[in-house]
Amino acid sequence: VEDPTDFFATLCDCISISAVFAHQEFCDEELQTEAAVRRVLQGRGATLETFWGALTVHHIDDLGFDARDRCEMPMYKGEFQRAAKRRPIREV
């Protein structure tokens, strides 16, 4: 999909959507795209529900930094992956 906002706008125009569920992004560019998609969906009466964990085996609280804080979160995916690889994986 070239432009996710156009995709979801068209999808909402074609079928009734109340929510979209997706992996929670963590890099700056993806966070900007996520916010833009959220605005498009909200403008059409739908919500974007995001959840942590689809692309990592690490619990968000075990990363060694606050992933919710844009100042602490690594800017690039490679930086995130290097940081995550140094952390232990939580037993389940």
Side-chain angles (χ1 to χ4, degrees):
V1 173
E2 188 171 321
D3 184 348
T5 56
D6 288 343
F7 172 82
F8 284 105
T10 301
L11 188 64
C12 288
D13 291 343
C14 293
I15 60 174
S16 177
I17 295 177
S18 60
V20 172
F21 298 86
H23 164 73
Q24 183 179 2
E25 295 297 342
F26 52 85
C27 295
D28 190 58
E29 184 177 349
E30 289 84 355
L31 288 169
Q32 291 175 25
T33 300
E34 184 180 291
V37 168
R38 188 179 308 278
R39 285 191 298 274
V40 166
L41 291 171
Q42 287 174 338
R44 287 170 168 75
T47 61
L48 177 61
E49 305 291 336
T50 59
F51 300 91
W52 178 260
L55 298 177
T56 180
V57 295
H58 292 86
H59 189 280
I60 194 168
D61 294 335
D62 297 340
L63 293 173
F65 51 83
D66 185 355
R68 295 170 193 92
D69 183 340
R70 291 178 69 121
C71 293
E72 288 189 36
M73 187 68 184
M75 184 176 278
Y76 302 103
K77 186 175 182 178
E79 292 172 352
F80 172 86
Q81 289 174 330
R82 281 189 294 281
K85 284 180 182 179
R86 292 190 300 263
R87 305 296 299 179
I89 296 173
R90 182 182 287 207
E91 295 283 334
V92 290

